Amino acid sequence: MPVPMPAIVTLIVCKTFIAGPPDQNAGWTGHENRDWKVEHGMMQCRRLEVQLFDQAEAMGAAAQPFNRQRCQRASIMLGVSWDQAHKGSSYRTWRVACPVPIVDTRTGEVIAWKMPECGHRDTVICETDTAI
């Protein structure tokens, strides 16, 4: 019996810095001229696993299985909302990821799920699940 995808999204957030003069319309748009901060050839990042829940289900709607399409849609929206909620921080969302299936090669069935790592080990230093 296949194992259902866990309702978890991985966010990779990395340090940024103000890269140049402020946008002349920043007072109205809120735009910041930011770039990724690289120290000693490495980006400083943090990996956050965010547990999701179905608010509609909590309000009595029928449960919907968490699948790749729902995960991708949720992860993009979560990345944007995380950036908005952490405007005072120098961290911004660099990447988002969904759980990856572990498949039994004999049967082709999903037997477990793995949360993605930070990746790019040659250019990224990544802390896991730390407070920002």
Side-chain angles (χ1 to χ4, degrees):
M1 179 171 183
V3 177
M5 177 187 273
I8 300 173
V9 170
T10 300
L11 293 179
I12 310 297
V13 296
C14 300
K15 275 188 182 179
T16 62
F17 68 98
I18 302 295
D23 185 310
Q24 60 184 336
N25 294 318
W28 293 280
T29 65
H31 175 74
E32 295 177 321
N33 189 6
R34 292 192 166 270
D35 202 357
W36 302 113
K37 186 170 188 172
V38 178
E39 298 173 357
H40 308 293
M42 304 290 274
M43 288 176 61
Q44 306 295 315
C45 301
R46 293 186 176 158
R47 180 179 169 275
L48 308 167
E49 287 184 6
V50 180
Q51 180 76 42
L52 303 177
F53 73 97
D54 187 350
Q55 187 175 6
E57 182 181 354
M59 296 171 63
Q64 297 292 315
F66 196 64
N67 58 24
R68 182 177 304 278
Q69 182 182 11
R70 285 190 178 95
C71 183
Q72 289 171 343
R73 185 178 306 127
S75 63
I76 291 169
M77 293 188 312
L78 185 61
V80 170
S81 65
W82 191 94
D83 285 349
Q84 293 299 318
H86 293 85
K87 278 254 186 222
S89 167
S90 63
Y91 285 85
R92 295 295 181 266
T93 302
W94 179 51
R95 295 188 173 197
V96 293
C98 295
V100 178
I102 298 172
V103 179
D104 183 335
T105 56
R106 292 172 290 154
T107 64
E109 287 188 7
V110 174
I111 56 173
W113 294 86
K114 180 181 183 329
M115 294 310 295
E117 300 297 326
C118 255
H120 297 274
R121 292 186 181 162
D122 55 335
T123 58
V124 174
I125 296 173
C126 197
E127 300 172 19
T128 304
D129 295 327
T130 54
I132 296 178

